[in-house]
Amino acid sequence: MEKVRWGILGTANIARWGTIPGMKLAKNCELYAIAGRSEQKAKKYCEDFGFKKFYCSYDELLQDKDVEAVYIPLPNNLHLEWVKKALSAKKHVLCEKPLAINADEAKQMYDCAKENGVHLMEAYAYLHSPYVKSLVSDVKSGIIGDVDFIDTAFITQFYKEDFRLHKELGGGAMYDLGCYCTTMILSLIDSPVESVKAGAEFTDLGVDSLTSAAIQFKNGAKASFTVGMCLGTNTNARYDRLYVHGSKGIIKSDVEYNQEGKVSYTVIIDGKKKVRKIKVPQNYSLEIEQLGRCIREGEKPHVSPDFSLKNSALIDAVLKEIGF
């Protein structure tokens, strides 16, 4: 299969340690071009990873007719502008999570994609994992009965300096981490959201450093999550958990969001434990390959527009509750 020629707007850390290594593993991806505000940094990325071209402005890359798809890892406040510019240049787009600052922005982006006949997918690499697909399959099979409660958490380090600390850049724990919890919950509970209650602690710079929320769904199921940036400063510490309670059994997991390698979770029914053992490839390679198949083979994006819009609306509801 002919490879998709990819360009990257920006030299963010997630591109260096996560997505670009995933692109190199993806069988249908060609690392074609990278753009950065710093010529020195863009050139270094080009040399380090084997891109064919580098540009010193994002617009120059978008003008390159050979670029077919664009990955956007820019700060959250810049997503709307550059996603729409890339889509209007007829480029398929993979944009880092969260796609938008609010649901209205997300809708604008998907409308733009439709107008230009190209794909737009929100970059939740972990949702492509065989681990998550196994979880969803177990829940949908009815093995634990009807889901009545889910609890999940994602807590990380605080930062000495980072865009996550600044409200004007789309920072805060809810935008950075809460979107993982909400997407996990929405993947496992197939029902409209009825109500949301939430509370938060804020830093001196005005972003939430710890947020907890409770969600009520129309089918009667409930969910809760906690996210935070509070495990020391620049410690690389993190804490992840998932608990799913059903009418016939439960699922427990300590697998980290985006974890790769050998992972497992436990299904408990009538006191008897079944351990699901799963081998997970590098998650970022999975999302690149999947969007590549959408472009070349006509697949539909695994992280669909409807799903992302539903998730954006839920995030909006939580942010409104905490007064952010």
Side-chain angles (χ1 to χ4, degrees):
M1 182 174 61
E2 183 184 359
K3 293 184 177 181
V4 176
R5 294 183 297 277
W6 281 84
I8 298 180
L9 298 190
T11 52
N13 283 334
I14 191 171
R16 174 172 282 279
W17 64 257
T19 309
I20 296 176
M23 287 175 150
K24 291 178 74 69
L25 291 170
K27 296 177 181 178
N28 58 3
C29 170
E30 179 182 334
L31 291 176
Y32 181 74
I34 187 161
R37 291 173 297 176
S38 161
E39 179 178 355
Q40 182 180 6
K41 198 169 183 180
K43 186 176 181 182
K44 184 73 165 57
Y45 267 64
C46 191
E47 294 169 350
D48 288 350
F49 294 107
F51 288 91
K52 292 186 176 180
K53 294 183 178 181
F54 72 91
Y55 293 101
C56 298
S57 81
Y58 305 148
D59 282 313
E60 282 185 289
L61 186 148
L62 295 180
Q63 290 167 12
D64 188 329
K65 294 181 180 180
D66 290 326
V67 173
E68 297 177 275
V70 172
Y71 168 60
I72 299 179
L74 297 170
N76 299 333
N77 66 308
L78 298 178
H79 288 181
L80 179 64
E81 175 186 0
W82 289 103
V83 166
K84 291 179 72 174
K85 283 185 175 181
L87 295 170
S88 297
K90 309 295 185 183
K91 313 298 185 187
H92 303 281
V93 174
L94 175 69
C95 180
E96 263 310 323
K97 42 58 61 183
L99 176 64
I101 295 297
N102 55 55
D104 179 67
E105 285 192 2
K107 187 176 186 306
Q108 288 184 52
M109 295 183 214
Y110 283 115
D111 287 346
C112 187
K114 188 174 182 179
E115 289 168 9
N116 286 282
V118 288
H119 291 293
L120 167 61
M121 187 167 76
E122 191 171 11
Y124 285 105
Y126 93 93
L127 287 176
H128 298 261
S129 168
Y131 156 71
V132 174
K133 292 182 178 181
S134 179
L135 279 173
V136 172
S137 177
D138 269 341
V139 169
K140 288 188 175 181
S141 75
I143 192 172
I144 63 167
D146 295 328
V147 172
D148 50 36
F149 178 69
I150 293 176
D151 177 63
T152 184
F154 191 3
I155 301 172
T156 66
Q157 65 181 342
F158 195 70
Y159 302 87
K160 287 183 180 179
E161 181 49 56
D162 192 271
F163 84 89
R164 296 170 178 85
L165 303 181
H166 301 280
K167 186 173 183 178
E168 67 274 15
L169 301 181
M174 187 59 216
Y175 278 131
D176 188 43
L177 307 169
C179 58
Y180 283 97
C181 295
T182 55
T183 50
M184 177 65 86
I185 291 166
L186 292 176
S187 295
L188 299 174
I189 297 178
D190 185 16
S191 177
V193 172
E194 190 169 72
S195 65
V196 175
K197 299 294 183 183
E201 290 184 356
F202 292 89
T203 69
D204 293 340
L205 293 175
V207 299
D208 61 312
S209 58
L210 185 65
T211 293
S212 292
I215 308 163
Q216 175 74 50
F217 291 87
K218 287 190 176 180
N219 68 355
K222 295 175 172 34
S224 65
F225 69 84
T226 300
V227 293
M229 304 182 295
C230 52
L231 302 179
T233 301
N234 285 14
T235 59
N236 290 319
R238 64 182 288 172
Y239 168 65
D240 306 62
R241 73 163 185 261
L242 175 66
Y243 175 87
V244 185
H245 189 278
S247 57
K248 297 179 181 178
I250 62 176
I251 293 173
K252 290 183 176 181
S253 175
D254 294 318
V255 176
E256 295 180 354
Y257 284 99
N258 268 328
Q259 188 172 336
E260 60 182 279
K262 295 180 180 179
V263 306
S264 64
Y265 64 91
T266 304
V267 180
I268 305 173
I269 302 170
D270 295 328
K272 296 180 181 180
K273 296 181 179 180
K274 297 180 181 180
V275 178
R276 299 279 195 254
K277 297 180 179 180
I278 304 157
K279 186 176 181 180
V280 179
Q282 206 258 23
N283 289 191
Y284 299 93
S285 69
L286 297 176
E287 70 177 357
I288 293 294
E289 286 191 342
Q290 205 275 319
L291 188 52
R293 293 194 301 273
C294 293
I295 295 167
R296 289 284 184 260
E297 301 175 17
E299 279 191 22
K300 293 183 178 180
H302 180 63
V303 183
S304 70
D306 286 346
F307 182 84
S308 285
L309 289 169
K310 184 178 179 181
N311 185 56
S312 291
L314 177 52
I315 292 172
D316 282 357
V318 175
L319 293 173
K320 182 179 179 180
E321 271 288 302
I322 66 174
F324 189 63

